Amino acid sequence: MTGEAARLLPSSAASPGGTEVALACAGIERSFGGLRALKGVDLEVRRGEIFGLVGPNGSGKTTMVNVMTGFYPPNRGSVRLFGRDITGTAPHAIARLGVARTFQNLALFKGLSVLDNILLGRHVHMRPGALASLFYWTWAEREEFAHRRIVEEIIDFMQLQDIRDEPVETIPMGLQKRVELARALAAEPSFLILDEPMAGMNQEEKEYIARFILDARDERDVTVFLIEHHMDVVTAICDRIMVLSYGEVIAEGEPRAAMADPKVIEAYLGHRAASRHAGARP
């Protein structure tokens, strides 16, 4: 990363997670017709760490996340969240268990302000009912004020005060990505999944998002699962990574060591380029 990144990130950005397992996937298989997208993937994320999932395009990363969050039930295997079996559980039920997610493509609501987009992240905590609506000025209004207080705190945390009332479609993409992260944090998750949160960003924007991810882990007790193509970011902030290629795990461990694995180099560069890379080593 650049000198600015070195200023933004601590000298030891990643700190090891605890021994408690936040998410455990065992033997995950998922096929689409004749295509085997995932081939017996085992994955374990510890509470309090930033875990990276990387791999070339088409390696199965987003499919893996969709299995974890209930969008695709696995053909085989199991998913456990903080010890609870959530295999095949519906996405909305998994969200209520403390899982929040951002998407590779922006999923903000145009026509709404930054504030209102972030407020939508509170929907998993809202309990509307006929009785509450009938007595709005006693119960429902009090609940709405409580949600807004949390959202305002998130706006301060993500440094979005100056644009809080702007229509979300009018702000730059880097800020839109920050709003999407803020909306996910507004759900007060214990497990946060970020699918390429830095796609389309310039270097400065990437560095600030990296800082916010670290702060979310450290200050808000969030375990982070990160899919990202920018290897400088992955090596700077992830405690451990797993590398997928064609639906199979080819490396796992400390980021720099895993990325130096010959299988990983071949997956990214191809066999001939990988051979040249190996030959160039001192």
Side-chain angles (χ1 to χ4, degrees):
M1 299 182 82
T2 66
E4 176 68 8
R7 183 183 69 80
L8 288 172
L9 301 179
S11 58
S12 179
S15 61
T19 56
E20 181 184 357
V21 175
L23 182 87
C25 299
I28 298 297
E29 297 186 9
R30 175 68 198 192
S31 298
F32 300 94
L35 174 65
R36 294 182 65 200
L38 296 172
K39 305 171 184 176
V41 176
D42 294 324
L43 181 153
E44 187 175 280
V45 182
R46 301 167 192 154
R47 179 171 184 170
E49 74 176 341
I50 300 177
F51 185 95
L53 183 64
V54 302
N57 289 332
S59 60
K61 302 185 299 297
T62 298
T63 300
M64 188 68 194
V65 169
N66 284 332
V67 168
M68 289 161 45
T69 53
F71 285 92
Y72 298 154
N75 299 121
R76 288 186 179 180
S78 64
V79 182
R80 300 186 72 85
L81 179 70
F82 293 105
R84 177 173 181 168
D85 191 344
I86 61 169
T87 311
T89 302
H92 72 273
I94 292 177
R96 292 194 182 281
L97 293 175
V99 178
R101 176 184 181 182
T102 67
F103 292 85
Q104 183 175 349
N105 298 315
L106 283 168
L108 298 173
F109 290 89
K110 296 180 179 180
L112 295 182
S113 69
V114 168
L115 171 63
D116 287 337
N117 266 274
I118 299 172
L119 186 59
L120 288 171
R122 297 294 302 165
H123 75 280
V124 295
H125 299 289
M126 295 178 179
R127 300 291 187 271
L131 191 59
S133 299
L134 181 62
F135 297 102
Y136 175 80
W137 293 110
T138 55
W139 297 342
E141 185 182 42
R142 189 179 304 124
E143 182 183 32
E144 181 180 343
F145 285 162
H147 291 310
R148 284 188 174 272
R149 279 196 300 271
I150 292 171
V151 167
E152 292 291 354
E153 190 274 327
I154 294 291
I155 287 174
D156 290 343
F157 178 78
M158 295 296 299
Q159 299 177 17
L160 295 168
Q161 302 95 324
D162 293 343
I163 59 167
R164 63 190 301 283
D165 296 318
E166 297 294 323
V168 73
E169 69 272 17
T170 66
I171 63 176
M173 177 180 288
L175 286 175
Q176 289 187 34
K177 287 279 189 174
R178 198 185 298 185
V179 172
E180 191 165 47
L181 176 55
R183 184 175 63 188
L185 291 174
E188 297 183 288
S190 54
F191 194 89
L192 177 62
I193 300 172
L194 305 176
D195 193 347
E196 298 195 33
M198 301 175 197
M201 288 187 174
N202 61 37
Q203 187 66 28
E204 183 179 11
E205 291 168 335
K206 284 163 47 182
E207 290 159 2
Y208 275 99
I209 285 291
R211 178 70 267 175
F212 287 125
I213 293 171
L214 285 166
D215 288 345
R217 188 270 305 272
D218 295 339
E219 299 178 22
R220 310 189 73 84
D221 192 26
V222 178
T223 301
V224 180
F225 187 94
L226 174 69
I227 296 178
E228 186 52 63
H229 277 300
H230 294 99
M231 292 300 106
D232 56 342
V233 174
V234 169
T235 55
I237 71 173
C238 287
D239 301 301
R240 294 185 301 126
I241 68 169
M242 173 181 286
V243 187
L244 287 180
S245 181
Y246 296 106
E248 296 181 295
V249 178
I250 59 173
E252 184 179 5
E254 188 274 333
R256 294 186 185 278
M259 292 305 298
D261 189 296
K263 292 181 181 179
V264 176
I265 297 171
E266 181 177 341
Y268 274 96
L269 302 179
H271 178 70
R272 291 184 179 179
S275 298
R276 290 196 299 270
H277 185 276
R281 292 177 180 173

